[in-house]
Amino acid sequence: MKLQNGYIQIYTGNGKGKTTAALGQALRAVGRECKVYMVQFLKSFETGELIAAPRLEPYFKIFRFEKKRNFFWLLNDDEKAELKQEVEQAVEFVKGVVRRNECDILILDEILGAMHNRLVQLDELKGILSMKPSSMEIILTGRDAPQELIDMADLVTEMREVKHYFANGVESRTGIEK
């Protein structure tokens, strides 16, 4: 099903729930037989959505281009260089998806984090958004959305942490954070 009008959405902020909101939008769209692609950046560990996604095919697919590794801030220079190459492959894939109008909804999960860590350039992301087909929805997630992207977006939601159990030493839980 093609959307009549596709918009640009951003889920940003320091609170939990950005990817979860994007996945909720994906689930709703899959229920209406929309084709949804999610390209995940800076996520190489196993998560529940990776396990669930094959159950939603052919309508929902997750793509990752990065090999399993530690968090960005724990990587050495060689690992960061390797990661940058993998992210560049993902960005080229995204450009092709947009150019071919290959899906109804394209989720660029944690693309803002990749941009914040200088793995994706703002101008490159703006270029992708500017070539978006009118019927394609694009959703960006991650902290620290720059004003230029906020200005381009049609919907921006900021998740703000009010209280989080991580502050009490609770680690990521399977089925909740991963």
Side-chain angles (χ1 to χ4, degrees):
M1 173 191 144
K2 287 286 177 207
L3 298 173
Q4 196 166 24
N5 295 307
Y7 296 103
I8 297 170
Q9 300 185 27
I10 297 176
Y11 299 124
T12 191
N14 70 342
K16 178 180 170 3
K18 297 173 287 291
T19 297
T20 304
L23 285 165
Q25 184 63 66
L27 184 60
R28 178 175 285 161
V30 165
R32 298 295 186 174
E33 297 185 353
C34 291
K35 188 175 186 179
V36 181
Y37 282 2
M38 174 181 257
V39 180
Q40 292 190 314
F41 295 84
L42 302 179
K43 293 186 176 179
S44 60
F45 49 91
E46 184 182 76
T47 57
E49 63 263 23
L50 281 179
I51 298 165
R55 298 175 186 157
L56 298 175
E57 286 185 10
Y59 299 107
F60 182 60
K61 293 184 182 181
I62 296 177
F63 300 88
R64 287 186 176 178
F65 293 82
E66 302 162 24
K67 75 177 195 180
K68 190 173 183 177
R69 62 172 54 86
N70 217 331
F71 292 109
F72 182 81
W73 59 88
L74 298 174
L75 302 180
N76 64 38
D77 289 343
D78 289 340
E79 291 168 322
K80 286 179 181 178
E82 183 181 46
L83 174 59
K84 183 159 178 53
Q85 289 180 336
E86 293 164 354
V87 167
E88 287 170 359
Q89 288 177 324
V91 168
E92 289 306 311
F93 173 80
V94 165
K95 288 177 183 176
V97 167
V98 172
R99 206 173 7 259
R100 293 185 298 274
N101 198 9
E102 209 169 301
C103 61
D104 302 304
I105 299 175
L106 176 61
I107 301 169
L108 304 179
D109 186 34
E110 204 51 55
I111 187 95
L112 300 176
M115 196 178 67
H116 181 77
N117 288 305
R118 296 185 178 98
L119 300 169
V120 176
Q121 299 303 310
L122 175 60
D123 286 342
E124 187 167 37
L125 185 51
K126 286 171 53 180
I128 291 168
L129 296 176
S130 68
M131 63 185 216
K132 179 190 85 59
S134 63
S135 63
M136 181 185 286
E137 194 92 3
I138 297 183
I139 300 172
L140 313 175
T141 74
R143 294 173 181 244
D144 304 315
Q147 190 61 50
E148 287 182 67
L149 290 180
I150 290 171
D151 292 345
M152 288 183 79
D154 301 290
L155 180 151
V156 179
T157 299
E158 182 177 8
M159 311 311 201
R160 183 177 61 87
E161 182 178 321
V162 174
K163 184 176 183 179
H164 201 308
Y165 41 77
F166 283 2
N168 295 324
V170 176
E171 294 186 14
S172 295
R173 298 174 297 150
T174 301
I176 304 297
E177 285 84 27
K178 58 184 182 179

